[in-house]
Amino acid sequence: MTVITAPRAHRVPVALGACLLSFAAFWCAQRAAHVSMIDLMVYRAEGETVRAGGDLYALRTTEAHLPTTYPPFAALLFTPLTLLDTAAVRTLATAGNLALLVAFVALSLRLAGHARVESVWWVSAAAVWCEPVWTTLRYGQINLLLAVLVLWDLSRRPGHRWAGAGIGLAAAVKLTPALFAVFLLVTGFVEYLRRGSGGPWSRHAGTAAATFAGATLLAAAVLPYDSWRFWTRMVFEAGRVGLVEDTANQSLRGVLARLLHTTEPGVWWAATAAVAAAGGLGLAVVAELRGRRPWAVVACAVTALLVSPVSWSHHWVWCVPMTLLLAATCRTAALCTAPVFFSYALWWVPHGPGRLELDQSGVELTLSALYVGAGSAFLVLTGVRLSRTCRTV
């Protein structure tokens, strides 16, 4: 039997065609499902509030009466959404997110050391169907934009003049990416203790901090009242984001709330999050100093998702670089990880009005903790791999 393979020159067009076909099917599926893109509508309402000079954090919009939860700088960026009608905004947001997915996959493959052009198209064709990406586009979320900013930043050469700007901007829009700046700062500090110099990490962290400060001060100049309210009050009110026990909350706090059948896990979450933050950040720093940036970046991303008070399932778009990294280094782990994010299993459990998540059984609790389990397993695997290396930090 003779196996016929496409000439290399034809691989890219074939892969591109498959990706476009997958995207077209995805677009049709989203329209057939009558997706609300509800978060995009919130962003647009925030932009309208800014233009009208209204109270940004008194806003309640859409049929779900959703509030503003991001820093004021994000609302400034959302103002151009008000220049188009709703249908046009939805179309552009979907197209833009698909383009961002391709960029995110390309950066993730580069991070994993696999940069073939056809691979970008094949992986993008598949990745669009995983639950975090599907839900990101369903809600019109900005997760892919923030992830691209961070990965673009961390793929710059050491000492690049703009290294840090992407992380700083991402953190000014949404606070969670700030952990990447902390990771760089701690790495630079450890390197300073070892060699008397913080190396490129300290400069990288400094640029991120300066960019974040500049964006935040710009927002304060334009929106002084809203900025004061956010940084003195709203930033501490995690409950504004949503119900902590919601199945979609794939953070340690969400898992503990469901496990303990309580709406406020309190000290249990604080202790668990502190251990996870120290352990995950420590692994990221060790990996970085040993020249294993891919593991460092994904470990930092996973740590941020685990310790955040609320990490909705669509925040886990970082499953893309995590799975690709595992596929390049440990295929068995990749084969175990991919089904977690493609199965939509967390939605198989009772959820919705009535706070049904507080009465989940053992199997249901397991299904509604899959992302946290996968992220924790990745950190354990990272620790095992680092422990087997001969170099010392």
Side-chain angles (χ1 to χ4, degrees):
M1 179 178 178
T2 303
V3 178
I4 301 176
T5 58
R8 184 168 182 80
H10 294 166
R11 290 180 185 175
V12 173
V14 169
L16 174 59
C19 183
L20 292 176
L21 183 62
S22 178
F23 281 6
F26 174 88
W27 198 308
C28 292
Q30 290 260 310
R31 294 300 174 269
H34 302 291
V35 295
S36 63
M37 303 192 79
I38 190 170
D39 288 343
L40 179 64
M41 297 301 100
V42 174
Y43 301 157
R44 191 169 186 272
E46 290 180 23
E48 290 175 339
T49 302
V50 169
R51 293 187 64 186
D55 187 339
L56 190 59
Y57 294 100
L59 175 67
R60 292 292 186 277
T61 187
T62 73
E63 65 276 10
H65 303 288
L66 296 177
T68 301
T69 58
Y70 294 171
F73 180 69
L76 289 182
L77 298 183
F78 295 149
T79 53
L81 298 177
T82 63
L83 302 178
L84 301 171
D85 60 39
T86 300
V89 168
R90 290 184 177 186
T91 298
L92 287 175
T94 301
N97 262 328
L98 290 174
L100 285 168
L101 174 61
V102 174
F104 187 46
V105 167
L107 290 169
S108 299
L109 284 168
R110 182 190 302 174
L111 187 72
H114 187 91
R116 291 181 180 175
V117 175
E118 63 266 26
S119 297
V120 174
W121 300 118
W122 285 118
V123 173
S124 298
V128 74
W129 297 98
C130 75
E131 192 274 340
V133 174
W134 166 278
T135 311
T136 287
L137 273 80
R138 171 189 176 187
Y139 292 147
Q141 263 282 343
I142 57 172
N143 305 304
L144 289 168
L145 173 61
L146 300 182
V148 166
L149 282 173
V150 171
L151 267 192
W152 173 83
D153 203 340
L154 292 171
S155 65
R156 301 300 88 198
R157 70 179 185 273
H160 189 281
R161 65 187 303 179
W162 294 110
I167 292 173
L169 282 175
V173 173
K174 189 173 183 178
L175 296 179
T176 308
L179 190 64
F180 286 96
V182 176
F183 150 68
L184 292 168
L185 182 64
V186 173
T187 304
F189 179 71
V190 173
E191 183 69 1
Y192 175 80
L193 293 179
R194 294 173 64 208
R195 306 183 187 280
S197 171
W201 299 286
S202 295
R203 293 192 297 274
H204 200 157
T207 302
T211 304
F212 171 81
T216 301
L217 289 173
L218 172 63
V222 179
L223 303 169
Y225 175 71
D226 292 319
S227 295
W228 174 258
R229 286 195 70 196
F230 179 81
W231 293 109
T232 60
R233 178 182 171 186
M234 301 305 172
V235 70
F236 303 108
E237 296 184 1
R240 286 170 52 84
V241 180
L243 300 178
V244 62
E245 76 275 8
D246 196 310
T247 296
N249 183 12
Q250 292 294 301
S251 70
L252 287 170
R253 185 166 176 251
V255 168
L256 285 172
R258 294 188 290 271
L259 179 64
L260 300 175
H261 308 293
T262 177
T263 59
E264 184 47 68
V267 67
W268 292 103
W269 169 66
T272 305
V275 171
L281 199 59
L283 287 172
V285 170
V286 171
E288 177 70 11
L289 290 173
R290 294 189 183 181
R292 299 193 172 192
R293 170 155 286 194
W295 292 89
V297 171
V298 180
C300 186
V302 168
T303 300
L305 291 166
L306 291 177
V307 304
S308 176
V310 175
S311 291
W312 300 126
S313 67
H314 51 77
H315 295 165
W316 281 83
V317 292
W318 285 94
C319 70
V320 174
M322 180 169 72
T323 304
L324 290 174
L325 178 59
L326 291 174
T329 56
C330 183
R331 292 193 176 183
T332 300
L335 290 174
C336 293
T337 301
V340 170
F341 298 100
F342 278 91
S343 66
Y344 294 67
L346 75 161
W347 298 113
W348 299 354
V349 304
H351 60 277
R355 315 194 88 157
L356 303 175
E357 291 89 344
L358 292 177
D359 296 314
Q360 289 181 351
S361 65
V363 173
E364 292 167 347
L365 287 169
T366 300
L367 291 176
S368 65
L370 282 176
Y371 290 9
V372 171
S376 300
F378 177 84
L379 292 181
V380 170
L381 179 61
T382 302
V384 171
R385 291 182 65 88
L386 291 174
S387 70
R388 292 176 178 174
T389 59
C390 297
R391 295 178 61 186
T392 58
V393 178

